[in-house]
Amino acid sequence: MSVPAVEMCNELTFTEQKAGDCKVGIVGLNNPRALNALTWSMFEALEHKLMAWREHADIACVVLHADSEKAFCAGGDVKALVAILQSNSSIQPAADFFSHEYFVDYLIHVYPKPILCWANGIIMGGGIGIMNGASCRVVTERTMMAMPEIAIGLFPDVGGTYFLNRMPEGVGLFLGLTSARFNGVDAVAIGMADLLIGAAKKSEIIAGLFELRWSSNGAENKQTLRAHLATFAQATSLSESVVMKHHDAVKKLTLQPSIDAIDDAMRASECEEEWMKQAAHGYLAGSPTSARAFFEQLNGGQHLRLNEIFLREWDMALNFCAQSDFREGVRARLVDKDQNPKWNPPALAQVSDTEIKRLFSKQHGQGQQLAQKFAAHGLT
């Protein structure tokens, strides 16, 4: 895609392209060496630009994409975050990081103008966060998605409480507990994407945006975007989805009365299908504390409003940063890469109710930074 860059911010590019009397704003993720992992400065810049475009009457539509075919976004830059926390006695840097991240995620969900997210290649964690709220989420034959937070001792955040609870029965819990990977067909089947379109169509689709008849009405423009994309969409069926092929097996493992019962079922599972075997391995290699907290996160958040979900996850994120398996998980998976995290405690049965209550509390002592940010911008 060749459009002139009118503004650039290190790992992000921002362009505005004429489309009749209106413009299309284009955000390009440009940090390919890190698989476009989202840094603190990227979230700040994205927040600033999205807020500005929200107020610009001539911006009719926004596009989120990456030039790299390998990855749209592999997540938030937790490696850099943990490095800052290790050299700082306060968790204020985490409060700032997650305030920017969750604000951007929520802003995309409630954005008054259509947002097209072209989710090609690897999309994990924080990448799913900026994708999920877009009004049109497009995946391709190259898409590979996962919520792998349990592997680093964190929890499926970025609104995971919301979108994982809205998947087919048992699937969201399974994906969060196991870090299981899924493709573009799966994403459409389980409600994580709207359309599957061939990756080779990207340039044609984006060029077509500049020829559409946009208006000043955000709702109308969302329909205009959907109609444009629908002409390129590939038909998909549940029978093509690996995730849905295993739905019965997934439900057998996850539709249990407690995380302890799920743990027993996972350990007793003798499924020979490779995808299920890899998923079970992901669960067994993950943090027991994260597993117990995630079970409570999903079950306790089923009826919360979206802004309440982000505020609850913000508290969780800060408590995980203050004390949990998070720093050890990042060390083992992303820094030293020995793939041998020393979880504390090492077994699910040893994770106390007191610890889980702490993770959902406000004991982090960081006030209401995200709530104040929402209120300041009228996003309550």
Side-chain angles (χ1 to χ4, degrees):
M1 184 186 65
S2 58
V3 291
V6 297
E7 184 175 345
M8 191 167 185
C9 176
N10 295 325
E11 303 101 341
L12 287 176
T13 59
F14 299 108
T15 66
E16 295 179 9
Q17 180 72 25
K18 286 287 291 181
D21 294 330
C22 299
K23 293 179 181 178
V24 175
I26 302 173
V27 180
L29 276 65
N30 188 35
N31 189 18
R33 289 187 177 182
L35 300 179
N36 293 320
L38 292 158
T39 65
W40 188 332
S41 61
M42 290 169 75
F43 280 123
E44 284 187 305
L46 187 52
E47 174 186 326
H48 175 79
K49 181 54 69 176
L50 288 177
M51 290 300 296
W53 279 345
R54 186 179 73 158
E55 304 305 319
H56 289 182
D58 59 343
I59 297 291
C61 175
V62 173
V63 177
L64 302 176
H65 82 109
D67 284 324
S68 167
E69 293 187 353
K70 186 173 183 180
F72 168 64
C73 177
D77 191 355
V78 293
K79 182 178 175 181
L81 173 60
V82 167
I84 293 172
L85 291 173
Q86 298 286 43
S87 61
N88 198 311
S89 60
S90 168
I91 61 166
Q92 183 60 47
D96 294 335
F97 179 88
F98 288 111
S99 290
H100 284 300
E101 180 175 20
Y102 294 176
F103 180 85
V104 167
D105 294 340
Y106 184 60
L107 176 62
I108 290 171
H109 273 277
V110 299
Y111 211 65
K113 302 177 181 185
I115 296 180
L116 162 61
C117 181
W118 186 266
N120 181 52
I122 297 168
I123 308 103
M124 296 191 292
I128 292 178
I130 62 171
M131 168 201 177
N132 194 256
S135 45
C136 289
R137 304 162 298 172
V138 173
V139 288
T140 77
E141 73 278 9
R142 297 172 180 164
T143 296
M144 190 286 290
M145 301 176 71
M147 289 295 287
E149 289 81 4
I150 192 172
I152 57 169
L154 195 57
F155 64 96
D157 61 337
V158 298
T161 309
Y162 175 82
F163 58 78
L164 293 173
N165 260 325
R166 282 157 179 77
M167 291 182 181
E169 192 175 31
V171 170
L173 181 58
F174 184 82
L175 294 178
L177 286 173
T178 64
S179 305
R181 297 182 175 189
F182 54 99
N183 62 24
V185 173
D186 295 319
V188 174
I190 64 177
M192 284 290 283
D194 301 300
L195 299 168
L196 176 73
I197 298 177
K201 295 293 186 180
K202 178 183 177 182
S203 295
E204 184 180 352
I205 285 172
I206 294 181
L209 297 178
F210 312 140
E211 306 301 323
L212 296 178
R213 298 187 62 175
W214 301 104
S215 73
S216 59
N217 185 294
E220 289 180 1
N221 287 339
K222 289 179 181 181
Q223 292 302 320
T224 297
L225 176 60
R226 292 187 184 110
H228 173 60
L229 295 172
T231 64
F232 296 89
Q234 298 176 11
T236 61
S237 69
L238 293 181
S239 64
E240 299 176 72
S241 166
V242 173
V243 175
M244 294 310 294
K245 283 179 183 176
H246 294 97
H247 193 200
D248 287 342
V250 166
K251 288 191 292 184
K252 186 176 180 180
L253 292 172
T254 57
L255 299 186
Q256 303 286 347
S258 67
I259 185 61
D260 302 276
I262 291 174
D263 184 77
D264 290 340
M266 287 281 194
R267 294 179 185 281
S269 176
E270 296 179 352
C271 184
E272 293 301 315
E273 292 284 346
E274 186 60 27
W275 187 77
M276 291 293 294
K277 286 171 65 176
Q278 288 294 323
H281 178 268
Y283 169 74
L284 296 173
S287 161
T289 299
S290 294
R292 193 174 289 280
F294 175 52
F295 183 81
E296 175 60 30
Q297 172 194 345
L298 232 57
N299 281 282
Q302 292 180 16
H303 304 297
L304 296 177
R305 296 193 302 271
L306 186 58
N307 66 320
E308 294 173 329
I309 282 170
F310 278 108
L311 294 174
R312 184 172 182 248
E313 291 182 3
W314 188 76
D315 285 330
M316 291 179 68
L318 298 196
N319 287 321
F320 269 83
C321 285
Q323 179 186 332
S324 72
D325 285 331
F326 177 46
R327 300 186 192 197
E328 169 61 10
V330 170
R331 179 208 65 76
R333 306 295 190 194
L334 304 176
V335 180
D336 297 338
K337 299 182 180 179
D338 56 42
Q339 307 304 322
N340 187 31
K342 307 298 183 185
W343 303 131
N344 181 27
L348 185 74
Q350 296 173 307
V351 181
S352 69
D353 290 342
T354 299
E355 174 60 7
I356 297 303
K357 288 179 182 178
R358 182 191 69 81
L359 290 172
F360 287 89
S361 75
K362 297 185 181 297
Q363 290 183 27
H364 50 73
Q366 293 299 307
Q368 300 297 318
Q369 188 170 327
L370 181 60
Q372 291 167 0
K373 198 175 183 70
F374 283 167
H377 295 285
L379 298 185
T380 53

